[in-house]
Amino acid sequence: MQYYLLIPLLPLGAFLLNIMLGRRVIRRQAHWPSTLAVAGSLVVTVMVLLDVMSGRTLNEDLYVWIVSGNFKVSVGFMIDQLTAVMLVVVTSVSFLVHVYSIGYMQDDPGYYRFYAYLSLFTFSMLMLVTANNFLQLYFGWEAVGLCSYLLIGFWYEKRSASDAGKKAFIVNRFGDFGFGLGVIMVFLTFGTLDYVSVFDGAGGVAAQTINILGADVNLITLIALLLFCGAVGKSAQVPLHVWLPDAMEGPTPVSALIHAATMVTAGVFMVARLNPIFSLSPVAMDVVAVVGAVTALFAATIALVQNDIKRVIAYSTISQLGYMFIACGVGAFGAGIFHLYTHAFFKALLFLCAGSVMHAMGGEVDMQKMGGLKRYMPLTYWTMLIASLSISGIPPLAGFFSKDEILWVAFNGGGVGRAVWALGTLAAVLTAFYSFRLIYLTFHGEFRGTEEQRHHLHESPAVMTVPLAVLCVGAVAAGWIGIPPIISSVFGVEDANWFAEFLKPVVGHPEIEAPHSTEALVMGFSVAVAAVGIAVAWVFYIRNREIPAVLARRCGILYRLLFNKYYVDEIYNATVVRPAMLIARYVLVGLSDGVIIEGVVNGVPALINRFGARLRRLQSGLLQSYAAVMALGLFLLMAVVVMVLK
Amino acid sequence: MNEINVSMLAPLLPEVIMASAGILVLLVELVARRKETAGLLSIAAVAVAAYYVPHSFGKSFGGMFVSDGYSAFFKFIFFINLILTVLLSMRYLVIEKSNHGEYYSLVVFSTLGMMLMASAGDLIVLYLGLELMALSSYVLAGFIRHDARSSEAAVKYFLLGAFSSALLLYGITLVYGLTGTTDVSLIGAAVVEKGLSTPLFLSVVFLMAAFGFKTALAPFHMWAPDVYEGAPTSVTAFMSVGPKAAAFAAFGRVFLTGFGSLSTDWTGILVVLSILTMAVGNILAIQQDNIKRMLAYSSVAHAGYAVLGIIVGGAEGLAAMMNYLFIYGFMNLGAFAVVIMLRSEGVRGEALEDYKGLAKTHPFAAAVMLVFMFSLTGIPPTAGFIGKFYLFKAVVGAGYAWLAVVTVIFSAISAYFYLRVVMYMYMLEPEGEAVTLSLSPSLGLALLITTLVVILIGVYPSPLLSFARLAAG
């Protein structure tokens, strides 16, 4: 089964090819190496998937990188059911985005650079999901972060883009600091970084506590929470969500691939992968669930009033990631991964549709200046409509099955489960509302842009619309492999939740003892609230378009609060950024840099220089003095020998 | 033992091949119109010799010549050194207007000398190999006859080299007088029997000074910066890797086999020399604004690191040292390849200033140089990190944790001058006329090989590690 190595290696090869030869040789053909490589990875992924489905999983150390005492770092791969699912998501979405970008990035001067980064990202993401130890996970984790930074700031000559790139990088530092500590704690606790050995040992330390500043903390809880810090940063959960909306400064295909379908889901994947650790700590699980639920609702409320088409979808991504953490938090890791998988399709589709709209509108992102586009770009309209129905949770589309499963397991989750369910259901109403607000503002009504924009309106070329159509199939049908028994039994199939069965060996599956009637009620309720959300959007934006303005005026404070995203950025600016800058300027630059570091950095070399200058004088270029130094050295050594031996 | 027959030559087959090749290259040079033919011929000869190295294990001439895993490992370093040097030289010699075929012959003979040094089981053979290597290098250092700097380098190298040969011979004489033999393993036995005495220790010091000269350990390093700067750059690259490795090979064998039982006595001195070397190399490298001279001091500093392997001793220490020298060969030759690439008709391209903004004008050259500078500093995932990691590990394992700390501190200082090159390339704007690159296919190949190997070993070090471990026995 060694051929699985091709999956990450092909994109790596494409990256090297493009970064080395892209500028001079490959130039406008840069999409070929990258796209072919990811297509190859996709093919191999399908082969691996078939292998895994027939029960052949794999966990092997390829070789040892460095070893010192009991610290051993291997390069190894773990291919199991969870990895297989992630591989399918990453390679398929990545492939479609590669194809789409051929049209979208057409005239960009950094064409080869774009494809090189895209390949590097694909490689890093694949390394992340196939790792069999914490260090490789960490490598992939940081590498995707680097690619994200490079691609957000792809148009680096634009100030806002390079700022957004920096913001994403720095905000992620906060989470990754915790993550790094978590990995170190894992090593200190278990003496190894290998997944399986750690999981095997986890049960044995479940009851251990460790004293931090006088308080006894459960060791596993501490490790789990530290690791979860990383997930909060990478998956843009409250309070580290602020970077993701700004990340929309990057090219739209990047938003679709990295900031919707794959990288941002790495946090969810990590929690699911490390489920043996998380499951041992009820406290950590509750934290995961509550953070997820709060984020789901919080981000959804902001999305209600944004006008930037990509930012609405970005907040929606944050919100949907919250759902995935709800599932993980209540122990239904499989449901979380299921939502990750369906979400990849409909969210990538939403972004690519938005990209198609922006392509037609000449880069315009303000929905208030759009309207009536349905007529000009029908294919984009229909695919985006289906994606919106899917994310709203309308049966029988993909989003319905995965979101319904999450809400149902949360409902039965016990502890914080009911509260989390309530928050999630409320978020579902809002999801339906903002999704259709986007549809109505963009595609319905009359065109509100400039004459020139109207003149240029056109459907995107086939190289862009075909990926839309393919993703649309996913947005419709991806959920059909995880149909709950309550529905499948209607069609005479007892157990059709194949997805949960497939993942069960890795992440388990919570058994729920509840009457069918309750399940039907909960399901019906969530569909009903979605329908309500869509209907309200229709009333607001089609039927009576005065309402939003009136509401905004009536509830001015609330509107401004939402419109300004709860002022989180402003709060961070005042409490973190500004003080940090002040400290940097006055304490670090002024005092430590100016006095201490300058003193050391300039002082030590100055000292060394002065010393060196003396030494250098010995290096006179005169042969006699060289011979004299050698002779003197020899003489000193001899003198020492004679004296010591005396 | 007194009878000599052809079968005794079997372990020397690679050496015989190289000797014949050296003569053949000299003859071919007379008739060949393109001098590059001589270079290609020497590479071919190396390929044949390399093939026979693993088949030549054994002792010959009553143990005077030893072909074992240890010598084989070093011979591979010499072969790589030769191949890369030839690739670097082809275009460079034309630019320097010194494209004479005997250059390649000298390189082959010098390599032959190194091979004899690595295989020397007897101090006389060791001396023979050392002189063959050294005499060839003296000529090579002065190969650009019309350049006064090159001639000056050759004369300095020759005179100081003669001085060090005298030290070596004097040391050998003393050893012979005290033990009655020049055979390294017999010396070992005699030393165990007789124990430590002042004259014996003095002979150890003489040999240490002689090896210190060849490996450029302070205070016997004084020749290195001048010679490295003045010699043709391709020869500098050659000398900074091959002769150094050969001297380490002999150093290791003589000190660990011959004087192994006295190691507690001489390691103290070696520790002092090592620290002094790291200090001198790194501190003076900071001062340089000529990249060749900077690399010369860096090469001195690296000798200070590598000698830690002999201090640690045993298979562990030797393996770490061999590993380090192998990696050092690739990264140093790679760095010199970039320096050579910047040398073109009329432009020396040796000043640090010439690297300003290289990333803007020649991003590829800058990226490759970045890899070598990172590797020389010891930053993962480059080979330099692996080399240093295992060296430090061996040092710590031998109970010299404080020495490892000292080395790390000097390593950190070295980051200053290596990364300064990176800073010049990437953070400063190009000034004046952009340097033109003299990239030839052979130089490109050398750069490709060195870059790939430096990264490959950094990512996947285990084959090299097990090879070195196996060779160290």
Side-chain angles (χ1 to χ4, degrees):
Chain A
M1 227 173 121
Q2 289 280 344
Y3 59 82
Y4 71 85
L5 283 175
L6 283 174
I7 298 176
L9 288 184
L10 285 172
L12 179 65
F15 161 70
L16 292 176
L17 208 60
N18 266 339
I19 202 75
M20 289 198 299
L21 302 176
R23 197 161 85 147
R24 298 266 163 79
V25 185
I26 307 179
R27 281 190 274 192
R28 302 238 70 89
Q29 305 302 321
H31 54 273
W32 280 112
S34 294
T35 312
L36 285 178
V38 71
S41 295
L42 179 59
V43 171
V44 181
T45 294
V46 171
M47 289 158 65
V48 166
L49 178 68
L50 292 176
D51 266 351
V52 172
M53 279 165 74
S54 63
R56 280 198 295 271
T57 59
L58 169 145
N59 173 25
E60 65 169 4
D61 280 351
L62 218 52
Y63 64 87
V64 178
W65 183 53
I66 50 174
V67 57
S68 169
N70 62 349
F71 179 67
K72 190 182 93 173
V73 181
S74 305
V75 172
F77 293 89
M78 177 183 260
I79 311 270
D80 60 3
Q81 288 82 352
L82 179 59
T83 307
V85 171
M86 292 305 291
L87 286 177
V88 170
V89 170
V90 174
T91 51
S92 58
V93 176
S94 183
F95 172 67
L96 292 171
V97 167
H98 272 77
V99 174
Y100 178 92
S101 305
I102 298 173
Y104 191 85
M105 299 300 288
Q106 211 174 20
D107 301 317
D108 200 280
Y111 198 64
Y112 83 96
R113 201 159 50 91
F114 180 80
Y115 272 99
Y117 291 164
L118 222 49
S119 281
L120 181 64
F121 167 76
T122 308
F123 161 73
S124 312
M125 190 69 201
L126 291 168
M127 287 299 283
L128 192 160
V129 299
T130 52
N132 79 340
N133 61 70
F134 282 85
L135 200 78
Q136 220 170 312
L137 173 73
Y138 193 80
F139 164 79
W141 192 267
E142 293 300 338
V144 289
L146 171 72
C147 297
S148 161
Y149 165 76
L150 289 172
L151 283 164
I152 294 170
F154 183 73
W155 291 309
Y156 55 82
E157 58 288 347
K158 209 166 91 185
R159 182 66 195 264
S160 57
S162 65
D163 279 353
K166 274 183 251 168
K167 184 172 176 183
F169 203 78
I170 294 167
V171 171
N172 267 298
R173 281 311 85 211
F174 285 89
D176 290 356
F177 182 68
F179 187 59
L181 284 180
V183 173
I184 292 171
M185 284 297 296
V186 166
F187 177 70
L188 289 179
T189 309
F190 301 101
T192 173
L193 288 173
D194 183 63
Y195 282 161
V196 177
S197 321
V198 169
F199 297 163
D200 288 345
V205 298
Q208 271 186 34
T209 57
I210 142 171
N211 196 299
I212 298 177
L213 301 173
D216 280 331
V217 185
N218 181 279
L219 185 58
I220 288 285
T221 302
L222 179 70
I223 290 175
L225 287 179
L226 283 173
L227 292 171
F228 184 60
C229 285
V232 170
K234 189 119 295 181
S235 296
Q237 298 295 290
V238 174
L240 296 182
H241 63 284
V242 288
W243 66 271
L244 188 58
D246 287 23
M248 298 302 124
E249 290 289 343
T252 306
V254 168
S255 309
L257 176 62
I258 301 184
H259 304 115
T262 56
M263 184 192 81
V264 289
T265 62
V268 181
F269 164 76
M270 188 263 285
V271 173
R273 169 56 83 207
L274 306 180
N275 70 80
I277 294 179
F278 279 87
S279 302
L280 285 173
S281 169
V283 179
M285 292 292 271
D286 284 352
V287 170
V288 173
V290 170
V291 167
V294 169
T295 305
L297 185 64
F298 178 83
T301 54
I302 298 175
L304 296 177
V305 298
Q306 300 302 314
N307 286 327
D308 180 324
I309 185 168
K310 279 182 76 183
R311 284 186 187 234
V312 172
I313 311 178
Y315 279 106
S316 137
T317 304
I318 298 175
S319 171
Q320 297 300 312
L321 289 166
Y323 277 103
M324 299 174 206
F325 282 113
I326 292 177
C328 294
V330 297
F333 300 97
I337 296 296
F338 188 35
H339 196 54
L340 184 163
Y341 151 81
T342 58
H343 173 258
F345 294 104
F346 59 71
K347 187 50 63 67
L349 178 54
L350 281 173
F351 267 118
L352 294 188
C353 288
S356 177
V357 168
M358 286 162 62
H359 199 62
M361 295 283 298
E364 179 64 67
V365 289
D366 189 349
M367 293 192 295
Q368 301 294 354
K369 296 191 178 129
M370 299 178 185
L373 295 186
K374 181 178 154 190
R375 207 146 51 87
Y376 303 97
M377 30 198 343
L379 207 119
T380 305
Y381 168 67
W382 284 107
T383 48
M384 197 163 193
L385 180 66
I386 289 169
S388 298
L389 285 169
S390 191
I391 194 177
S392 305
I394 301 299
L397 304 178
F400 161 73
F401 293 105
S402 55
K403 191 187 280 187
D404 176 68
E405 189 177 347
I406 290 176
L407 290 175
W408 175 235
V409 289
F411 186 80
N412 292 290
V416 295
R418 274 310 147 81
V420 163
W421 169 80
L423 291 176
T425 309
L426 191 53
V429 192
L430 305 180
T431 305
F433 176 82
Y434 67 66
S435 297
F436 277 82
R437 173 175 175 265
L438 186 156
I439 292 285
Y440 294 142
L441 278 179
T442 309
F443 293 101
H444 292 257
E446 69 281 355
F447 188 70
R448 298 179 294 273
T450 62
E451 252 332 288
E452 202 187 325
Q453 279 173 328
R454 182 202 293 277
H455 191 68
H456 283 113
L457 285 178
H458 59 88
E459 181 61 284
S460 298
V463 72
M464 288 167 70
T465 51
V466 169
L468 296 186
V470 176
L471 279 171
C472 187
V473 173
V476 172
W480 296 350
I481 56 170
I483 299 176
I486 181 173
I487 292 179
S488 63
S489 58
V490 177
F491 301 98
V493 184
E494 228 7 86
D495 200 1
N497 198 347
W498 298 304
F499 194 87
E501 279 303 314
F502 182 63
L503 280 183
K504 205 169 169 183
V506 188
V507 297
H509 188 58
E511 293 300 329
I512 294 172
E513 299 290 338
H516 268 357
S517 54
T518 320
E519 187 173 358
L521 210 63
V522 169
M523 185 183 286
F525 186 62
S526 55
V527 175
V529 296
V532 168
I534 295 173
V536 173
W538 182 76
V539 172
F540 276 32
Y541 296 97
I542 300 287
R543 179 69 188 274
N544 190 347
R545 269 177 277 152
E546 305 300 310
I547 299 179
V550 174
L551 262 182
R553 231 177 299 124
R554 285 266 174 83
C555 318
I557 296 173
L558 184 65
Y559 175 77
R560 273 198 301 280
L561 190 64
L562 294 181
F563 189 77
N564 291 302
K565 310 143 204 163
Y566 296 96
Y567 296 98
V568 175
D569 276 325
E570 285 74 9
I571 294 169
Y572 284 176
N573 258 335
T575 58
V576 182
V577 181
R578 198 93 55 76
M581 296 288 253
L582 287 179
I583 291 173
R585 183 166 311 146
Y586 293 108
V587 181
L588 292 180
V589 178
L591 181 74
S592 71
D593 232 33
V595 181
I596 303 169
I597 301 194
E598 292 267 304
V600 173
V601 168
N602 290 340
V604 171
L607 209 68
I608 291 176
N609 261 337
R610 210 175 310 153
F611 177 60
R614 294 243 171 93
L615 263 183
R616 206 174 162 178
R617 234 170 283 155
L618 280 177
Q619 197 78 41
S620 55
L622 292 177
L623 202 55
Q624 306 89 301
S625 70
Y626 292 1
V629 170
M630 283 174 64
L632 188 69
L634 181 68
F635 176 74
L636 282 178
L637 289 186
M638 286 164 62
V640 168
V641 167
V642 172
M643 283 202 296
V644 167
L645 287 185
K646 266 270 163 71
Chain B
M1 148 134 203
N2 292 328
E3 271 182 53
I4 292 187
N5 54 47
V6 178
S7 71
M8 292 178 78
L9 282 177
L12 275 98
L13 193 53
E15 282 75 8
V16 172
I17 292 169
M18 288 299 277
S20 326
I23 298 165
L24 192 64
V25 168
L26 208 52
L27 292 176
V28 167
E29 190 266 327
L30 291 175
V31 288
R33 196 123 41 82
R34 291 175 54 84
K35 305 300 174 198
E36 286 77 11
T37 321
L40 293 176
L41 186 66
S42 59
I43 292 182
V46 161
V48 178
Y51 173 77
Y52 282 107
V53 165
H55 302 289
S56 69
F57 282 15
K59 290 186 177 184
S60 190
F61 296 103
M64 291 183 97
F65 183 90
V66 184
S67 174
D68 54 5
Y70 180 72
S71 66
F73 187 93
F74 278 101
K75 281 174 196 171
F76 279 109
I77 297 183
F78 308 148
F79 291 155
I80 290 159
N81 184 38
L82 186 149
I83 293 173
L84 291 173
T85 303
V86 169
L87 291 176
L88 298 187
S89 308
M90 287 182 173
R91 174 108 175 80
Y92 175 73
L93 290 179
V94 178
I95 292 173
E96 295 288 4
K97 302 187 185 63
S98 299
N99 195 14
H100 313 296
E102 66 264 28
Y103 176 90
Y104 300 105
S105 175
L106 286 166
V107 169
V108 171
F109 279 122
S110 181
T111 303
L112 174 62
M114 298 173 205
M115 291 164 72
L116 286 175
M117 282 174 80
S119 275
D122 189 290
L123 295 178
I124 299 298
V125 177
L126 166 62
Y127 177 69
L128 213 67
L130 186 136
E131 282 304 323
L132 179 55
M133 169 189 90
L135 287 169
S136 313
S137 333
Y138 302 150
V139 184
L140 283 172
F143 203 75
I144 309 178
R145 269 165 278 174
H146 52 80
D147 182 3
R149 296 196 317 160
S150 179
S151 308
E152 183 190 334
V155 171
K156 278 185 182 166
Y157 194 22
F158 171 64
L159 289 174
L160 292 173
F163 185 29
S164 86
S165 293
L167 296 181
L168 180 68
L169 282 176
Y170 193 54
I172 293 175
T173 321
L174 279 177
V175 173
Y176 181 70
L178 292 166
T179 61
T181 177
T182 51
D183 184 291
V184 176
S185 35
L186 293 181
I187 292 171
V191 168
V192 171
E193 195 186 312
K194 295 190 174 151
L196 185 62
S197 65
T198 307
L200 183 63
F201 209 157
L202 286 179
S203 68
V204 169
V205 169
F206 275 108
L207 291 178
M208 201 181 270
F211 288 130
F213 177 84
K214 289 291 173 214
T215 54
L217 289 181
F220 309 107
H221 71 286
M222 303 292 285
W223 60 278
D226 288 20
V227 174
Y228 282 9
E229 190 189 349
T233 312
S234 58
V235 175
T236 307
F238 180 76
M239 288 193 304
S240 68
V241 175
K244 197 185 276 275
F248 270 114
F251 202 163
R253 203 191 286 275
V254 171
F255 272 66
L256 294 177
T257 312
F259 306 122
S261 54
L262 305 179
S263 64
T264 44
D265 300 298
W266 51 255
T267 42
I269 300 181
L270 221 43
V271 166
V272 175
L273 291 189
S274 163
I275 295 176
L276 190 63
T277 307
M278 291 187 245
V280 168
N282 286 315
I283 290 173
L284 284 176
I286 291 181
Q287 298 235 317
Q288 308 308 324
D289 41 25
N290 175 302
I291 197 136
K292 263 173 91 176
R293 212 168 164 80
M294 188 272 268
L295 285 173
Y297 279 107
S298 130
S299 146
V300 171
H302 281 277
Y305 304 140
V307 83
L308 293 171
I310 296 179
I311 293 171
V312 171
E316 190 73 21
L318 282 182
M321 177 185 83
M322 290 152 78
N323 203 9
Y324 195 81
L325 288 171
F326 187 92
I327 289 168
Y328 170 73
F330 279 101
M331 59 196 187
N332 213 41
L333 282 163
F336 274 114
V338 177
V339 176
I340 284 180
M341 192 157 65
L342 259 68
R343 169 83 169 108
S344 55
E345 240 95 18
V347 183
R348 228 177 239 298
E350 284 173 18
L352 203 51
E353 298 284 309
D354 294 331
Y355 288 76
K356 269 190 183 167
L358 194 66
K360 295 236 167 57
T361 50
H362 302 289
F364 200 60
V368 172
M369 192 62 165
L370 172 106
V371 171
F372 297 130
M373 290 298 122
F374 272 24
S375 188
L376 284 166
T377 317
I379 297 173
T382 55
F385 167 73
I386 299 292
K388 280 216 175 102
F389 180 85
Y390 282 96
L391 203 55
F392 293 165
K393 198 191 135 197
V395 172
V396 173
Y400 288 104
W402 66 272
L403 187 54
V405 172
V406 171
T407 317
V408 169
I409 290 174
F410 280 118
S411 253
I413 293 179
S414 78
Y416 179 83
F417 56 85
Y418 290 130
L419 300 188
R420 186 171 51 183
V421 177
V422 176
M423 195 266 285
Y424 267 69
M425 293 191 303
Y426 281 87
M427 294 182 181
L428 297 183
E429 291 299 318
E431 264 177 23
E433 253 179 86
V435 283
T436 42
L437 295 189
S438 50
L439 183 65
S440 62
S442 62
L443 184 61
L445 183 64
L447 276 173
L448 187 71
I449 294 172
T450 46
T451 316
L452 280 184
V453 171
V454 163
I455 292 174
L456 192 70
I457 293 179
V459 178
Y460 184 34
S462 26
L464 174 66
L465 296 176
S466 36
F467 181 28
R469 197 72 184 73
L470 198 72

